[in-house]
Amino acid sequence: MSWQVEIDPQQCIASGSCAAIAPDLFVVDGAHARPLKDRIKEDERALDAADVCPASAITVRKGEEVVGPRP
């Protein structure tokens, strides 16, 4: 199953931590970061990026279930 990756532009501060962890999944584009694709194969690095985001702007979903950031 694939995951849906979202970055809330209202929360994102473009720290670049997501792009540093997974440059093939995230890019900093101006004042915000964005996922390169809305849907990805399950990838632990997406969860790591959600976990370390200083603004808690990244959400990873598996269907309706939020899998990242992890508690």
Side-chain angles (χ1 to χ4, degrees), residues 5 24 27 32 34 39 42 50 57-58 65 71:
V5 181
D24 56 324
V27 64
H32 302 101
R34 64 177 174 83
R39 295 209 168 270
E42 293 184 14
I58 302 171
E65 176 188 4

Side-chain angles (χ1 to χ4, degrees), residues 17-27 36 43 45-46 49:
S17 60
C18 56
I21 289 173
D24 56 324
L25 300 178
F26 302 95
V27 64
L36 292 173
D43 189 326
R45 295 173 307 140

Side-chain angles (χ1 to χ4, degrees), residues 5-22 26 28 31-34 45-60 68-70:
V5 181
E6 303 166 346
I7 296 181
D8 182 340
Q10 299 297 324
Q11 291 182 266
C12 180
I13 60 171
S15 74
S17 60
C18 56
I21 289 173
F26 302 95
V28 177
H32 302 101
R34 64 177 174 83
R45 295 173 307 140
L47 298 179
D48 293 341
D51 291 345
V52 301
C53 177
S56 300
I58 302 171
T59 303
V60 182
R70 295 171 280 205

Side-chain angles (χ1 to χ4, degrees), residues 2-5 38-40 42-43 47 60-62 67:
S2 65
W3 286 349
Q4 182 177 350
V5 181
D38 292 336
R39 295 209 168 270
I40 63 168
E42 293 184 14
D43 189 326
L47 298 179
V60 182
R61 298 177 193 279
K62 183 177 183 179
V67 293

